[in-house]
Every structure is written in structure tokens, then in C-alpha cells.
Amino acid sequence: DVKVTQSSRYLVKRTGEKVFLECVQDMDHENMFWYRQDPGLGLRLIYFSYDVKMKEKGDIPEGYSVSREKKERFSLILESASTNQTSMYLCASLERQGSWEQYFGPGTRLTVT
Amino acid sequence: GQQVMQIPQYQHVQEGEDFTTYCNSSTTLSNIQWYKQRPGGHPVFLIQLVKSGEVKKQKRLTFQFGEAKKNSSLHITATQTTDVGTYFCAGPDSGGGADGLTFGKGTHLIIQP
């Protein structure tokens, strides 16, 4: 079974803090993604990576950066958290053979106060 | 950019009634995927449709991909309380999905016993 884990289920940070969200997958997938999910807006792609040290902007990259130093780990960084970044953050990895399904982690609910 | 529209946003049904959600893309899709998210959970892959006019069934769920590959539907026959959740359709941004997915905003299925 593919397993995607995220470092925290719930996180509360103050405005201006630097925030790290970690994601680890155990299936040797090359492609990994960060989405945020907001009520009424669905899931929106922030960044993705198709290899170690490679990253590409998604639809809403402003205010975020990412890091992929190892294949299994993809980190989302909020350089200076703001209240409008309060959201559910979902990490996913991609099975490129067969179904092309994305496997999602359990999510991190981030609250910025 | 690509837009994926999904209707309805909410659907209330009595247990045992049928349910349908519709998905429309602003562009022709190479494939379309469907995900289900239970309350408090993360999206879980249901199926991928690739061929024009394709119909696939999973027990009480029937998925269709339009002839023009721009629309899709999910139909659930005789809903059960286990069907509660949000159903998302998603189309690949490019490369079949390797660059991420554009999700519809989802249809929340609420079942009254």
C-alpha cells in the first residue's frame, strides 16, 4: 500500500512566522504535489516536483516555496505566514504507471493567527 | 488556464435515491479522474476514464466520459449512508497528470436516512 504521511495534522502559527510542512511517501514516486483546500474553492495546486531538486509552480504559488532534497520527501514552506494562508494543505504523490492516480496524505490543517 | 466546473455544489438525497454529479472542462481532456473525500478525510482515487464515450462501473457507481472528452458524470444508484462525502472530478494540467490536476469544486453528497 502506498503511504503518504504529513508531519502534522493540525498546526497553529502566528502571522509572520516561517512554517514548514513536511510530506513523505514510501513508494518511490517521482512526482509529488502540494495542494490547498478551501471551502467552496476545492483543491488548488500550489507547487509540484517531478524529481529531486526539481520544482514547478502550480496555479497559486505566491507566498509559498518548496524543497525536494530527497525523492521521498517534499516540503512546503511559508516564508512569512499570513492569515489568508489558513487552510487545509494536502500533499500527494503520483503513480505514473497504470491508473495515474494521485495518493493523498491525511492533510495538515494550518491556522495562522 | 484550464477550468473544471462541477455541479451541483450540494445534493441532498434520501437514502435509497439516486445521485448524479456533472463535470465540465473548458478544454479537451486526455483523461478525467474522480475522487471521493469522506468528511474529515482526504481525497481517495476512484477511477480514471481515458477514452471518448467511455463508461465504467464500480458496483453502484457509473462513470461516463463524454464523446468530446470535455464532460463527465458520476451516477450512484440507490445511495447508502456510506456514500456520504464530497466527490471531485479532476483533469490533468498536462502530461496526463504528471504536472498536477485541476479539480472541480466538488459535489457534497448529503444523505438523509
Side-chain angles (χ1 to χ4, degrees):
Chain A
D1 264 0
V2 174
K3 194 167 184 181
V4 180
T5 57
Q6 295 183 229
S7 50
S8 306
R9 289 301 304 273
Y10 300 93
L11 208 53
V12 180
K13 295 292 182 180
R14 293 187 183 276
T15 301
E17 279 193 87
K18 191 169 186 176
V19 182
F20 292 87
L21 302 182
E22 304 282 337
C23 174
V24 177
Q25 51 94 4
D26 66 358
M27 277 298 290
D28 204 36
H29 287 167
E30 294 172 343
N31 299 69
M32 296 185 73
F33 310 86
W34 276 105
Y35 295 89
R36 63 176 283 178
Q37 183 174 24
D38 301 287
L41 296 178
L43 285 82
R44 294 178 291 167
L45 181 64
I46 304 171
Y47 264 97
F48 65 96
S49 169
Y50 51 88
D51 203 351
V52 174
K53 296 193 184 295
M54 306 303 288
K55 59 187 179 184
E56 295 285 345
K57 293 180 180 179
D59 298 320
I60 51 164
E62 296 78 18
Y64 303 95
S65 63
V66 290
S67 172
R68 186 117 181 251
E69 296 297 318
K70 292 185 177 182
K71 192 175 185 179
E72 67 271 18
R73 188 180 298 271
F74 191 33
S75 302
L76 181 69
I77 303 156
L78 287 67
E79 294 289 343
S80 178
S82 63
T83 54
N84 63 12
Q85 293 178 309
T86 291
S87 186
M88 170 68 83
Y89 290 89
L90 290 158
C91 173
S93 70
L94 174 67
E95 172 60 69
R96 292 193 63 162
Q97 298 179 8
S99 66
W100 281 75
E101 69 179 276
Q102 292 199 6
Y103 293 87
F104 284 85
T108 296
R109 184 165 295 282
L110 172 67
T111 302
V112 183
T113 62
Chain B
Q2 175 180 267
Q3 291 185 338
V4 176
M5 292 143 288
Q6 198 172 346
I7 57 169
Q9 187 174 1
Y10 293 91
Q11 184 73 58
H12 292 77
V13 301
Q14 295 281 341
E15 187 176 9
E17 291 182 339
D18 292 357
F19 160 78
T20 305
T21 173
Y22 300 91
C23 184
N24 282 282
S25 170
S26 59
T27 60
T28 301
L29 300 170
S30 59
N31 66 77
I32 194 160
Q33 298 183 7
W34 285 91
Y35 290 78
K36 176 183 178 181
Q37 185 173 23
R38 294 181 186 275
H42 58 273
V44 175
F45 176 85
L46 293 176
I47 207 162
Q48 177 181 249
L49 303 171
V50 178
K51 299 177 183 176
S52 169
E54 189 169 14
V55 178
K56 285 189 176 180
K57 292 191 175 186
Q58 291 179 350
K59 297 183 181 178
R60 294 177 295 103
L61 278 62
T62 302
F63 303 85
Q64 292 189 324
F65 200 12
E67 294 290 340
K69 301 182 76 172
K70 295 182 71 174
N71 61 289
S72 182
S73 65
L74 159 60
H75 179 83
I76 302 178
T77 304
T79 54
Q80 300 175 359
T81 54
T82 53
D83 296 325
V84 163
T86 303
Y87 293 84
F88 294 96
C89 61
D93 290 339
S94 65
D99 297 344
L101 297 170
T102 296
F103 283 81
K105 294 182 180 180
T107 296
H108 300 262
L109 174 58
I110 298 127
I111 298 177
Q112 293 150 345

